[in-house]
Amino acid sequence: MQGARRPPCASPLPHLWQCNFPTQGCPVLRFILHALIVITLTLLTQIGGLAYLVALAASRAWGIRRFLAKLAIFLLCYVSASFAAGLAAPAFGRVPLSCMSNATDRLVVRSPIYCLLNRNYVRPEVRDLAKALAAHMDEEFPGTVTTALDANFPFVNGFPLLPHLSHADGKKLDFAYYYKDADGAFLNGVTRSPIGYFAFEEPAPGDELPCEGRNDWLTTRWDFDALQPLFPAYRIEEQRTSEAVRWLTSEGVARFRLEKIFIEPHLKNALGITDSHVRFQGCRAARHDDHLHIQVE
């Protein structure tokens, strides 16, 4: 219709990068979108937000408008920043656990996603503890692979590794439990969940349930009931898991100053663990019947 005004941003969200009309709404929306991306990438990877800002500045300086070209620049910046983080982290007291494993390695990181998100950094003594545990398990049960999960980010004590409440100083590391199939055969290097988390060992009737009846509104103790039927019916391999905890509470304490291990009470009781270093993490923290948490002094 002649004389009809075209809306300055008829559909703002899909066109935030191309809003060329004189309006105050589009720059504000662009700023909010970029801010949300920076915050999200920073929380997920620690350095991703900075890589995004560098990529954004480069795209604008070079006059690049195509989305795929901008994405390629961001990925290049992120990969470069992650590589630099691996080189710089030792100056901040942290070293990476490698996600590049071969058939002879006995300590492996469960998924490359931990390295892609920079969640594989620990203090050197934690790395040495993990390697020593894996070597011991291989000696006691030849060929056994020990699987590491979330560790810490490369920099800054106190920076949260969500959704964990305590992985913020390089002194914490999660291990997957050792598993067996429904027939009792050991599954080497296998976890029930693709990332090692959220496939819980459900307590039996009469087991100790310290959080029963609580309704905390601020908590990361999520049950993920809808996910549980999706995981295979593997069970914890008691012999190896018990031996790993025994070594941690003896050699780990004496040689590497291990301070705590977190395991759910019902699982601790089922495994016959009585050592005082093995504790309950509290009702606001995540469940620990899908993984074993260790920390050093």
Side-chain angles (χ1 to χ4, degrees):
M1 182 183 296
Q2 187 174 6
R5 294 183 60 191
R6 182 178 179 180
C9 265
S11 180
L13 288 179
H15 302 291
L16 286 176
W17 295 80
Q18 304 172 4
C19 187
N20 299 316
F21 300 98
T23 176
Q24 294 181 351
C26 291
V28 171
L29 288 173
R30 282 201 301 270
F31 175 81
I32 292 173
L33 177 63
H34 292 318
L36 289 175
I37 293 174
V38 168
I39 291 171
T40 301
L41 289 173
T42 301
L43 290 177
L44 287 177
T45 70
Q46 192 176 58
I47 63 176
L50 179 60
Y52 180 81
L53 289 174
V54 172
L56 187 63
S59 297
R60 290 183 174 178
W62 297 334
I64 296 175
R65 295 181 176 275
R66 293 182 180 274
F67 172 76
L68 290 180
K70 292 177 179 179
L71 178 61
I73 292 173
F74 165 69
L75 292 176
L76 178 61
C77 290
Y78 181 73
V79 170
S80 299
S82 296
F83 179 76
L87 298 177
F92 294 84
R94 303 187 192 182
V95 293
L97 297 176
S98 176
C99 288
M100 304 294 291
S101 59
N102 56 51
T104 63
D105 288 331
R106 293 296 173 253
L107 175 67
V108 301
V109 176
R110 177 61 183 89
S111 170
I113 193 172
Y114 293 113
C115 293
L116 291 174
L117 298 180
N118 301 297
R119 303 169 73 96
N120 60 316
Y121 287 83
V122 293
R123 295 176 64 89
E125 58 267 31
V126 178
R127 176 201 56 192
D128 294 344
L129 181 154
K131 289 183 175 181
L133 170 63
H136 171 77
M137 295 302 295
D138 180 44
E139 182 179 347
E140 290 294 310
F141 307 94
T144 293
V145 169
T146 296
T147 305
L149 305 175
D150 260 338
N152 309 260
F153 284 133
F155 309 116
V156 186
N157 286 344
F159 193 99
L161 186 87
L162 299 178
H164 304 278
L165 300 182
S166 63
H167 288 235
D169 55 9
K171 298 180 179 181
K172 282 80 175 182
L173 177 62
D174 289 344
F175 290 106
Y177 289 118
Y178 303 91
Y179 286 95
K180 61 184 178 181
D181 64 18
D183 297 323
F186 174 57
L187 300 168
N188 201 17
V190 173
T191 57
R192 292 183 61 205
S193 158
I195 61 172
Y197 290 107
F198 309 134
F200 302 117
E201 297 295 309
E202 299 298 342
D207 280 347
E208 182 180 354
L209 302 174
C211 300
E212 188 175 24
R214 293 180 57 128
N215 295 296
D216 299 305
W217 68 272
L218 183 61
T219 180
T220 58
R221 190 179 176 82
W222 306 312
D223 292 329
F224 293 107
D225 291 332
L227 292 179
Q228 302 312 302
L230 304 178
F231 299 125
Y234 303 153
R235 302 294 293 177
I236 286 181
E237 204 283 321
E238 299 92 341
Q239 191 176 11
R240 285 172 173 81
T241 301
S242 297
E243 177 59 25
V245 174
R246 186 205 66 77
W247 185 91
L248 287 167
T249 55
S250 56
E251 292 295 312
V253 172
R255 294 170 52 190
F256 301 99
R257 298 188 304 166
L258 183 136
E259 181 182 21
K260 298 176 184 177
I261 302 174
F262 290 156
I263 299 177
E264 287 293 314
H266 75 87
L267 194 53
K268 174 182 176 181
N269 295 336
L271 294 171
I273 299 169
T274 59
D275 192 278
S276 61
H277 292 91
V278 182
R279 307 176 188 179
F280 175 53
Q281 71 281 355
C283 291
R284 294 187 184 275
R287 290 177 60 165
H288 282 70
D289 47 2
D290 61 337
H291 70 281
L292 183 151
H293 167 102
I294 64 113
Q295 61 188 67
V296 300
E297 295 179 2

